[in-house]
Amino acid sequence: TATASSAANSASDAEERVERLGISTLVGDSTETSPYHLGINHTVPASLMPAAARLVKPPQAPPYNLRLKRKPMTSHHTPPTDSPATQTSAEVLDTPATPFMRVIKSYVLRAGRTTTAQAKAYEAFGPRFLLNYAPGAFDAAAAFGRPAPLILEIGFGMGGATAHIAAVRPQDNFLCCEVHEPGVGALLKLAGDQGLENIRILRHDAVEVLDHMLGEASLDGVHIFFPDPWHKSRHHKRRLIQPDFVNRLARHLKPGGYLHLATDWEPYSKQMLDVLNAEPLLQNTAAPDSEGFVPQPAYRPLTKFENRGLKLGHGVWDLVFRRI
């Protein structure tokens, strides 16, 4: 009939257009890949699609707020036998959840660029002053080449104050922990240029050094100058000076050993004072009428940031406690 003849002609015209454009047609349940739809195959039974509509159209992109469901796992992706996917719902519910354990660290790793001079200091002085972190008993006399009082410095920044203290106290050994690479390079340069043989550097977390390298009652002093104050109330839990950490420090001090803290943030200084006063192994060396703080010890120099703060009217608070 005329209608059938017209439909046949339309189908023939469509197939010719498809062939001319290089676009694949879908025949039965098989699919031929076409560059028009970027390799995404669509399978449509020929009986359900008229010949004139066999042009393969590219798939429409879903809207950005559409939440796509994950396809069910097929048989060739069999989960391991001990995975939760193979357990019954009762077994999964009965499995106790592992709590997230927050590990105390003595630092926050900062971004920074190592200068050419610092990189050269690593090469020139690293073998002389850098120590490797190695769990086990730390032999201070072997590391420094002599027996002497051992002072642990936690977080020395760019090392200027550390180098100054080591220079004015040559009778003491200073074990310095810092993870900031440019700061380590800066102190290496200072120690090498000034010939400070009483400095050794561990580029590692001081908490692990205390727990796994230094024994209890092994330190004559600890210095922690200007730790991060974490100004916001919700971040106070990140502050280094906390009761557990102070107790750890106190146990590592010899009787008569000292803990020296300094900060330029008054609210943090008050928290430090409260925490140290609550530690039964420590005793404040401040005068009774000094509100718990001591004058700046002569060996601690003013840093450039401290000088700038003092010019702006900011204060600096030093605390020195001794091990009972």
Side-chain angles (χ1 to χ4, degrees), residues 74-92:
T74 57
S75 59
H76 60 277
H77 289 294
T78 305
T81 56
D82 58 345
S83 69
T86 62
Q87 302 176 8
T88 65
S89 58
E91 289 173 333
V92 174

Side-chain angles (χ1 to χ4, degrees), residues 269-286:
S269 72
K270 293 179 179 179
Q271 181 199 330
M272 289 178 171
L273 184 60
D274 291 340
V275 172
L276 269 61
N277 278 332
E279 173 52 55
L281 295 177
L282 297 175
Q283 184 176 32
N284 199 343
T285 64

